[in-house]
Amino acid sequence: MLQRIYVTDGSIDGIFTAIYRAWESKYGHKNIKLIERDENETLEFFSEYIDIEPEQEISYKVAKTIKERLSNVGYKFVVKACLSKEKGRSDAVYRFLLLGFSVGASVLEQLAHPYVYPIYKMNKNVTNEVLHYMGFLRFEELKNGVLCAKICPLNNILTLLSPHFSDRFQNEDWIIMDERRGIAALHKKRSDYLIVECSFFTNEAFFQCSDEETYLQHLWKSFINSIGISERENEKLRQQMLPKRFQEFMKEFD
């Protein structure tokens, strides 16, 4: 019997749609595998590949079922795994749900189970990165008064990060751009945020800082330099507290 491999785009809707199609096929769970689409993927022998296009309506059905069977906490657990950078997350979520739908919400307590532990690790990694960016993200005021921040996260955390700043800066117009994935969160003051593709922004002049922002950045750098003690610099400790990948868009490291 040929193994059936469902190929997803790696998005939440894509993974949920593939899970629905796999379950619907009644092909036998042991004969099914889910993978993320990758141009460099090595094809497996004796396997049938099926490309899955995300279908929002089907994704909603799967999401509703997860909430009913595993609770809202279980749903968030699954969503964070879908947003992980880890290759193989689609199949890991599929295996987790196979177990979860059979035992219910108690699956969240079975951390040592081989179907649960990978999801737990993805959740921990995604959550830690969100918390890091909550503290390390830097906004710049543009000439049009909009606050703009750039990030380059390993995980697809923009949808998890945006609600925090939507609540914190609800009276501001702001943009958070994920340069790794080419997407951005747009927030209009006293309104909700919207996720769009970065191709929406084509005018580089849009991103010029205001004069006051340039002046404040200069003051901030001067302050950092003045309080620093070169003899007590500890680069190893600094990287433990603030990994280099978070320093790219922090003006004090320019």
Side-chain angles (χ1 to χ4, degrees):
M1 191 174 195
L2 290 177
Q3 177 181 220
R4 185 172 288 179
I5 299 178
Y6 291 85
V7 185
T8 81
D9 63 356
S11 68
I12 295 174
D13 286 342
I15 293 173
F16 282 6
T17 303
I19 289 171
Y20 183 91
R21 293 302 182 199
W23 216 292
E24 180 186 50
S25 71
K26 295 183 170 59
Y27 197 66
H29 299 308
K30 66 179 181 179
N31 303 316
I32 290 175
K33 180 180 178 182
L34 272 61
I35 65 172
E36 298 82 46
R37 190 172 292 115
D38 185 350
E39 292 181 0
N40 299 318
E41 184 73 33
T42 302
L43 299 180
E44 298 184 26
F45 288 114
F46 310 112
S47 297
E48 175 189 5
Y49 285 79
I50 301 174
D51 279 319
I52 298 295
E53 292 300 324
E55 296 182 47
Q56 205 167 64
E57 187 176 342
I58 288 177
S59 178
Y60 284 154
K61 288 182 181 179
V62 175
K64 182 181 178 183
T65 303
I66 295 172
K67 291 175 184 178
E68 290 173 349
R69 300 276 191 93
L70 305 184
S71 77
N72 286 332
V73 174
Y75 173 71
K76 292 177 181 178
F77 201 66
V78 170
V79 165
K80 283 188 178 180
C82 291
L83 296 174
S84 169
K85 63 178 172 53
E86 294 298 327
K87 189 176 180 181
R89 62 187 179 278
S90 302
D91 198 64
V93 168
Y94 180 52
R95 303 298 158 191
F96 172 78
L97 291 179
L98 288 178
L99 177 65
F101 287 168
S102 64
V103 303
S106 64
V107 69
L108 300 174
E109 302 169 6
Q110 302 180 30
L111 298 183
H113 195 286
Y115 285 176
V116 181
Y117 184 65
I119 304 297
Y120 167 75
K121 280 183 65 180
M122 292 179 204
N123 265 260
K124 186 175 180 181
N125 184 268
V126 168
T127 300
N128 286 343
E129 189 167 41
V130 170
L131 292 174
H132 273 110
Y133 270 109
M134 283 182 181
F136 298 148
L137 185 141
R138 297 288 191 268
F139 282 102
E140 298 177 319
E141 184 184 62
L142 305 180
K143 285 191 173 182
N144 57 10
V146 174
L147 302 180
C148 181
K150 296 179 181 179
I151 59 175
C152 196
L154 297 177
N155 301 292
N156 188 8
I157 63 171
L158 190 59
T159 54
L160 302 177
L161 192 63
S162 299
H164 169 76
F165 290 101
S166 180
D167 179 61
R168 188 176 180 187
F169 298 132
Q170 55 183 298
N171 294 321
E172 302 288 346
D173 295 322
W174 53 255
I175 302 170
I176 301 176
M177 303 180 66
D178 181 344
E179 293 204 330
R180 186 184 295 272
R181 293 167 185 82
I183 56 177
L186 307 183
H187 178 269
K188 184 176 176 58
K189 63 178 63 176
R190 292 181 292 277
S191 184
D192 205 352
Y193 67 90
L194 178 69
I195 305 294
V196 301
E197 292 185 1
C198 280
S199 56
F200 182 85
F201 307 102
T202 57
N203 189 354
E204 292 185 7
F206 176 84
F207 295 101
Q208 290 183 2
C209 292
S210 67
D211 294 337
E212 184 178 5
E213 174 68 26
T214 302
Y215 176 64
L216 289 174
Q217 287 184 13
H218 175 71
L219 288 181
W220 176 242
K221 292 176 188 178
S222 298
F223 170 72
I224 294 294
N225 291 332
S226 65
I227 65 171
I229 303 173
S230 58
E231 292 79 11
R232 299 187 63 180
E233 286 184 2
N234 187 334
E235 185 62 26
K236 185 177 180 180
L237 177 61
R238 182 166 70 176
Q239 288 191 32
Q240 288 177 357
M241 305 298 291
L242 179 56
K244 269 193 170 181
R245 65 189 181 89
F246 294 106
Q247 299 176 19
E248 181 180 359
F249 301 113
M250 299 177 73
K251 293 303 174 183
E252 55 266 47
F253 292 101
D254 279 357

